[in-house]
Amino acid sequence: MAKRCPCGLGATYDDCCGSLHEGHTSATTAEQLMRSRYTAFVVGDTAYLLRTWHSTTRPPKLRLSDNIRWTGLEILGSTGGSAFHSDGTVEFRASYAGGSQQENSRFARENGEWMYVDAIDGGATGR
């Protein structure tokens, strides 16, 4: 049986975020990009995270912690971010063993593609 995508939409990883990670498709909304970036954290795909980070805020390199086990994603709200917008925000809560991170993230199009810009607010909380 195929593995379900960690982003929570119910599709298989290959048919959902895996297709984005492999570069076969591009995110059509800011929320889809946010979900695919969460999944990239789950599967450890730093190349995708860097590739989908806006050039004005992208770090030169990225190292993920081996100690975090992500357990779920909840979308709390969004503004803009559709096929008809050039920017938008997505507020989410990403849970991990021992706590969660809530963030309101800013997204913008760069060369026609949705990119993560930065966090407007947010942080980690223990349970």
Side-chain angles (χ1 to χ4, degrees), residues 70-82:
W70 297 101
T71 60
L73 175 67
E74 179 183 2
I75 302 299
L76 304 173
S78 64
T79 63
S82 78

Side-chain angles (χ1 to χ4, degrees), residues 84-97:
F84 304 106
H85 296 101
S86 58
D87 57 18
T89 65
V90 178
E91 185 174 5
F92 67 92
R93 181 179 302 115
S95 298
Y96 54 88

Side-chain angles (χ1 to χ4, degrees), residues 35-80:
R35 287 179 179 276
S36 71
R37 286 179 55 84
Y38 166 79
T39 299
F41 276 99
V42 172
V43 301
D45 190 343
T46 56
Y48 180 78
L49 291 167
L50 288 169
R51 190 170 70 244
T52 57
W53 208 312
H54 199 277
S55 64
T56 61
T57 57
R58 181 187 308 125
K61 60 184 177 178
L62 182 63
R63 179 174 157 82
L64 301 179
S65 173
D66 295 331
N67 300 326
I68 296 178
R69 186 175 58 83
W70 297 101
T71 60
L73 175 67
E74 179 183 2
I75 302 299
L76 304 173
S78 64
T79 63

